[in-house]
Amino acid sequence: MNDTPRNRTVPICTLMALTVVAGATACAGSGDHPLSARPYDAADQVAFNAPAGGRKADPDKPLEITAKGEEGRITDVTALDESGHHLAGELTADGRKWRSTAALAAGARYTVRVATEDEDGAPGARTFTFETAPAKRVLTVTFGPEAGKYGVGQPVTADLSLPVKDKASRAVVERALKVRSVPSVEGSWYWVDDKKLHYRPKEYWPTGATIDVTANLAGIKVGDKLYGGASKPLRLTTGDRIEAVADAGTHYMTVRRNGEVINTIPVTTGKPGFSTRNGIKVVLGKEYYVRMRGTSIGISEGSSESYDLPVYYATRVTWSGEYVHAAPWSVGSQGVANVSHGCVGMSTGNAAWFYKTVRPGDIVKTVNSYGKMMDTFGNGFGDWNLPWDQWRKGSALVADTGNPLATEDAKARLRPSL
């Protein structure tokens, strides 16, 4: 027999509202060795702090199990939720007390098995169940975009139902947000603000990838009286790698599929004062017909720059109104000069081809323009304009040194969604 009680820290999960389920019975026969006996019922040997009478326990309070009297001690405690995940805890060296060390889940049901031994070394056992009260404040996640097939530049978004401000709470949330792709790629979340995160790989997604996004937040304590709730998973797939590069200096757009040039199109981009934004953008959507007005970008109606035009085959790349679209009125300037108010214009035939070729998530890049750089966030998806080392710093799991925070305690806080 090992006379030294075991300190046991078990991975994650849940808590309370007590119902005694079963206690093993029977003692050793008069001539048996203590270790050969079936465990006796240790109900009178241990006490716990869960409320009686079927009441549900406060998940903000740890579970404590204590040995009563001086004749026995606790040798082991195992606490599991309905999914079989463990609640981490520690046993004191003298075997007098076990206390949970991981945050307890809200709205959970647990089974706890306690092993003891008496002063003669005979083994005892007690099993009980308990439930925790549901959370009053629940954090849920809505993933985007909608399920479907996208281009390889499509970031994943996570919108939180409540703001999460401090880094410790953000780390809990971020650890619970899982993005798995086949083929596998390196990627990271970036906290855009207190309620929104974006996820992208280091490089673009592989072609033909399957991307599964889940939140393992259900029941997990995020912060002070704030717990995670259930969230709907998301599955995306990717198509070919379509990249369109509009060169404002040469006035041509080059379109590649999986690295091979499939079209070179004469275009016009933004003229002085309305220069097209430089940088990588991601196709947001496609609209066969759009009515474009100068007033939407701050041009006074009736001024020399005012316009009100029907536009066809419009592929949107910013929320503020930058498109790749048909511009039959500027065909004479396409391939020669920049005369638009910021969009990439081309002939109707070329615009129709582009419209049919691309899908949301495909890449549209502008180079050699006098315009500003595309915003990283807020006006579409400029995520790819941020270098990878800077992108990683937007994660709550990356320390100032750039190394991920991966403590055992952190891992123990995760609880797969039910």
Side-chain angles (χ1 to χ4, degrees), residues 240-302:
D240 290 332
R241 177 167 172 161
I242 302 294
E243 299 174 84
V245 179
D247 190 328
T250 64
H251 316 294
Y252 276 83
M253 172 184 276
T254 302
V255 184
R256 291 179 172 85
R257 174 184 285 119
N258 301 327
E260 181 180 347
V261 175
I262 56 174
N263 208 344
T264 303
I265 303 169
V267 298
T268 182
T269 63
K271 60 186 176 181
F274 299 93
S275 295
T276 305
R277 296 172 183 83
N278 281 298
I280 301 169
K281 302 145 195 175
V282 173
V283 173
L284 301 174
K286 300 190 294 183
E287 302 163 60
Y288 173 69
Y289 167 78
V290 179
R291 184 179 177 185
M292 293 189 178
R293 301 177 178 87
T295 53
S296 66
I297 60 171
I299 298 174
S300 300
E301 189 172 358

Side-chain angles (χ1 to χ4, degrees), residues 43-68:
D44 295 333
Q45 205 171 18
V46 294
F48 44 87
N49 66 337
R55 290 178 296 149
K56 296 184 178 182
D58 183 351
D60 282 324
K61 296 180 180 179
L63 174 65
E64 294 182 351
I65 302 170
T66 307
K68 297 192 294 186

Side-chain angles (χ1 to χ4, degrees), residues 98 101 259 314 323 350 375 406:
W98 182 94
T101 56
Y323 290 84
N350 284 328
D375 295 331

